[in-house]
Amino acid sequence: MNQNRLTATLSTTTLSTTALTALAPISWGSTYFVTTQFLPTDRPLFTGMMRALPAGLALLALTRRLPRGAWWWKAAVLGALNIGAFFPLLFLSAYRLPGGMAAVIGSVGPLWVAGLAALFLGERPTRRTLLTGIAAALGVSLVVLKATGSFDAIGVLAALGSSASMSAGTVFTKRWGRPEGAGPLVLTGWQLTAGGLLIAPVAFFVEGAPPALDGRNLAGYLYLALVNTAVAYWLWFRGIGRMTATSVTLLGPLSPLSAAVIGWAALGQALAPVQLLGMAIALGATLAGQVGQAGQAGPRRPADSPGTVAPALPFSSTEHNARKHSMDVTGHAVRR
């Protein structure tokens, strides 16, 4: 009887954790709408900095804790992988590839993570993991891929680099865990601050001085920094402490699906039958990827508590392409 109660409690806790973690990629799906409707045009790097740095500094002020010892360089490395390198590489791929191609390449993130997790975390990939990862990538491709346009080697390499950077950040955040007494909110602040500081000089060098902002722009940036970044990243980081790295990453397809639904509901963009099929496949793969994951987050390490993970496409190719190409949301992805 007690065993049955324990099993039921674990199942409820796992479901709750998965549902809360899923709110992060669902929130990231709103990035396209906010970017095109509220933010100044042609400033993707400035937007990336405004999204990461203020949120990171606010969390630092809230938690009042700075890294110590080896965590100075660990936080810098994780911030670079998950934010600082990921954003610019994703932007570059979005400019050089046709609509949605960067999202399709990026959707193989769960497969990257499965391989790296097997190497560094001892999370042996199962047949279910591999099949759901492939199915999710197929579903995303049906939702976002356009047949028009051309692409080049630099764009493909940048897309692969962004996916690999985020995947490595996911695995090493899980591997290193957190210093004793530091919760997900603390680590979130460290990574966002480090990544924002890395993007800042690149943004000013490439895009010049910051643009003049009106009230609508400020409202958009406030939403991105607080809801879309600080809160969403905290939920994502919280989830990785209770789930395997691969199962968390398999929630990533919810982001382009969310973007497509918002585009249909708020912007009147049509969804073709093939896109609806892709959404069904991607959603089915996402749900299947969570089956059998309860209690597999792995044991706690003595010195560190469970790690966290940065999202798969939190600031996406959609934000780039929306400005330069004026293409609809279903042609792009907004990922972790």
Side-chain angles (χ1 to χ4, degrees):
M1 188 69 174
N2 290 336
Q3 181 64 35
N4 291 337
R5 288 182 178 178
L6 178 60
T7 301
T9 300
L10 288 174
S11 299
T12 302
T13 301
T14 301
L15 180 61
S16 175
T17 297
T18 302
L20 286 174
T21 307
L23 291 177
I26 290 174
S27 169
W28 294 326
S30 67
T31 306
Y32 169 85
F33 175 77
V34 174
T35 300
T36 56
Q37 302 300 312
F38 289 86
L39 304 186
T41 60
D42 300 321
R43 292 301 182 105
L45 292 176
F46 176 77
T47 294
M49 181 197 70
M50 288 292 289
R51 184 175 179 182
L53 191 55
L57 293 176
L59 292 181
L60 287 183
L62 178 64
T63 58
R64 298 185 179 182
R65 177 162 180 173
L66 294 175
R68 295 180 182 178
W71 271 98
W72 279 105
W73 68 264
K74 286 183 178 180
V77 170
L78 295 177
L81 290 173
N82 291 325
I83 305 294
F86 172 69
F87 282 5
L89 286 172
L90 191 62
F91 299 153
L92 178 60
S93 67
Y95 270 127
R96 303 187 71 105
L97 297 178
M101 179 65 73
V104 173
I105 296 176
S107 68
V108 302
L111 300 179
W112 280 105
V113 170
L116 292 173
L119 184 61
F120 293 104
L121 302 178
E123 293 183 7
R124 188 173 181 177
T126 63
R127 180 179 298 177
R128 176 190 293 275
T129 296
L130 298 177
L131 290 178
T132 52
I134 294 172
L138 172 63
V140 170
S141 68
L142 293 177
V143 174
V144 304
L145 192 59
K146 298 284 187 178
T148 58
S150 60
F151 62 94
D152 57 26
I154 295 178
V156 172
L157 290 175
L160 289 173
S162 66
S163 181
S165 176
M166 177 60 67
S167 299
T170 296
V171 171
F172 280 105
T173 308
K174 180 74 173 180
R175 178 180 174 85
W176 290 337
R178 300 190 299 266
E180 185 177 355
L185 207 60
V186 171
L187 195 61
T188 302
W190 293 352
Q191 293 194 49
L192 290 176
T193 302
L197 289 174
L198 184 62
I199 294 174
V202 179
F204 291 134
F205 178 78
V206 174
E207 298 177 350
L213 303 178
D214 58 23
R216 189 175 182 85
N217 301 150
L218 292 174
Y221 282 126
L222 183 64
Y223 168 81
L224 287 182
L226 294 183
V227 178
N228 201 258
T229 300
V231 174
Y233 270 59
W234 170 70
L235 289 172
W236 192 260
F237 294 176
R238 175 183 177 276
I240 198 60
R242 295 164 170 80
M243 303 163 64
T244 65
T246 303
S247 63
V248 172
T249 306
L250 281 169
L251 293 173
L254 292 176
S255 188
L257 301 188
S258 173
V261 171
I262 292 173
W264 167 75
L267 301 177
Q269 296 168 351
L271 291 173
V274 68
Q275 292 172 310
L276 295 175
L277 174 62
M279 293 175 69
I281 293 174
L283 182 59
T286 298
L287 295 176
Q290 309 309 312
V291 176
Q293 296 294 339
Q296 294 184 18
R300 293 192 179 197
R301 294 164 48 172
D304 296 340
S305 55
T308 62
V309 60
L313 287 177
F315 183 66
S316 79
S317 59
T318 301
E319 300 176 33
H320 254 320
N321 295 339
R323 305 169 185 277
K324 188 171 182 180
H325 304 296
S326 300
M327 299 174 72
D328 67 52
V329 66
T330 57
H332 308 283
V334 181
R335 188 185 168 198
R336 23 235 157 91

